[in-house]
Amino acid sequence: MAVIVPESLESALAALTAYPDAAVLAGGTDLMVEVNDGRRPLTRVVAVGRVPELTGIRVDGATVVIGAATTFAQLERDPVAELVPALAYAARTVGSPQIRNAATIGGNVATASPAGDALPVLVALGASVEIAGGNRRRLVPIADYFTGPKRSVLDAGELVVAVQVPVLRGAQDYLKVGVRNAMVIAVASLAIAVDLEARRVGIGLGSVGPTPLAAPEACSWVASRARWRSDGVEVADEDVVEFGERVAGAARPIDDHRGTARYRRHAVSVMARRALRRCTR
Ligand SMILES: Cc1cc2nc3c(=O)[nH]c(=O)nc-3n(C[C@H](O)[C@H](O)[C@H](O)COP(=O)(O)OP(=O)(O)OC[C@H]3O[C@@H](n4cnc5c(N)ncnc54)[C@H](O)[C@@H]3O)c2cc1C
């Protein structure tokens, strides 16, 4: 098997154009599982870990630009922990320390699993995905990125270059239900982000639909019911309960070996209530 290790974005894209059968390799924590299971034969690999344009985290005004090759271990720390706390909380729930040292946010976004832990956070925050392929560059809002289970608008020969995440003033959280407390794929997960400037609440749901989901109706409803102050937001107790039900209504869960649709919907309503209580006063 040939391994190409490009040292620039241009040469990575040239390699993907020259060898359309080549697989992109970042941390390998999804790709190598498929290879080892015999589900993905590899003839050629383009390893993107040394592409400088895919590495590093930069703050650009009110946006954090996170290179695709950034690992979950890096996301646990500043500046992400300070500026996008929900993403740091989500990163801490991914696999084991060994997995977090290898697994990247770009791999999570490219795999586009409904259970990917970074993805509900990106949905709640209204992030965008920077994609490059050939001579084309595009910025895709996360709401338009997923097209189905493990499917996205990312075409063959394209690379996720970075995710652009808005920096919001307001509380954030990430909650994940699994069969145990660590090293577990989500049975259901939920990210919340409060935006005190825009007076908005964002929700992202994982593992309860074919793609990561938003809950726009529940979010507009609770924003209209909340009492917004410059330093926080208050929501009445009965509205917190109603919010939980409305967010659960946005879920599209199925029964599978990890849990039933009924359990998942219930878990979403509990997480939504808990997350909203933690983010409001
Ligand atoms: C033991 C174990 C535990 C895990 N636990 C979790 C968990 O708790 N939560 C969770 O969300 N995930 C978990 N995962 C899955 C995995 O770690 C994540 O999805 C991770 O983010 C994948 O990133 P990677 O860098 O390893 O991607 P890779 O395996 O290198 O690549 C994954 C896919 O994305 C493509 N790709 C990678 N980077 C790019 C790019 N920049 N542009 C275009 N395509 C690209 C590859 O071609 C491949 O198809 C776990 C995996 C293992 C093995």
Side-chain angles (χ1 to χ4, degrees):
M1 184 183 62
V3 179
I4 301 167
V5 188
E7 302 216 346
S8 71
L9 180 58
E10 200 185 347
S11 51
L13 295 175
L16 291 172
T17 305
Y19 305 107
D21 63 327
V24 177
L25 174 72
T29 61
D30 277 328
L31 184 71
M32 295 316 294
V33 172
E34 288 184 24
V35 173
N36 292 339
D37 286 352
R39 282 181 279 141
R40 183 136 169 198
L42 288 187
T43 50
R44 207 177 298 268
V45 157
V46 176
V48 295
R50 289 196 199 158
V51 174
E53 293 89 338
L54 269 55
T55 60
I57 300 169
R58 128 177 148 259
V59 184
D60 186 0
T63 304
V64 187
V65 183
I66 303 171
T70 303
T71 64
F72 282 105
Q74 292 168 309
L75 294 179
E76 289 179 73
R77 303 191 289 265
D78 282 345
V80 172
E82 188 201 345
L83 298 174
V84 198
L87 195 52
Y89 303 149
R92 277 173 210 148
T93 75
V94 171
S96 60
Q98 292 88 340
I99 292 291
R100 295 197 289 275
N101 276 328
T104 64
I105 190 164
N108 214 241
V109 168
T111 294
S113 161
D117 280 306
L119 310 180
V121 181
L122 301 183
V123 170
L125 289 161
S128 299
V129 184
E130 266 184 62
I131 296 175
N135 296 323
R136 188 163 75 136
R137 300 289 151 93
R138 54 195 180 125
L139 187 63
V140 180
I142 198 78
D144 302 330
Y145 177 79
F146 304 105
T147 55
K150 296 197 172 180
R151 299 176 77 88
S152 71
V153 298
L154 191 67
D155 287 330
E158 285 190 316
L159 281 176
V160 175
V161 175
V163 291
Q164 295 192 5
V165 184
V167 177
L168 305 181
R169 198 170 63 79
Q172 302 181 2
D173 210 344
Y174 181 73
L175 289 84
K176 174 173 172 179
V177 173
V179 292
R180 56 179 186 240
N181 234 357
M183 271 293 288
V184 76
I185 186 165
V187 171
S189 61
L190 178 144
I192 188 168
V194 171
D195 182 346
L196 291 175
E197 305 300 338
R199 300 193 160 186
R200 271 204 297 258
V201 175
I203 286 282
L205 301 175
S207 285
V208 291
T211 65
L213 299 171
E217 186 278 331
C219 290
S220 323
W221 178 83
V222 80
S224 72
R225 303 279 301 179
R227 283 187 44 211
W228 293 92
R229 306 185 314 264
S230 61
D231 63 341
V233 55
E234 285 168 48
V235 179
D237 258 359
E238 61 272 22
D239 287 349
V240 173
V241 174
E242 170 82 22
F243 178 68
E245 295 310 309
R246 286 177 182 245
V247 175
R252 291 156 55 199
I254 54 165
D255 293 338
D256 69 10
H257 59 288
R258 291 201 192 88
T260 61
R262 191 158 165 252
Y263 173 72
R264 286 184 154 110
R265 208 181 282 284
H266 172 70
V268 167
S269 73
V270 173
M271 286 190 292
R273 289 202 302 266
R274 198 168 289 170
L276 187 63
R277 282 205 176 99
R278 285 185 188 172
C279 289
T280 53
R281 276 175 277 145

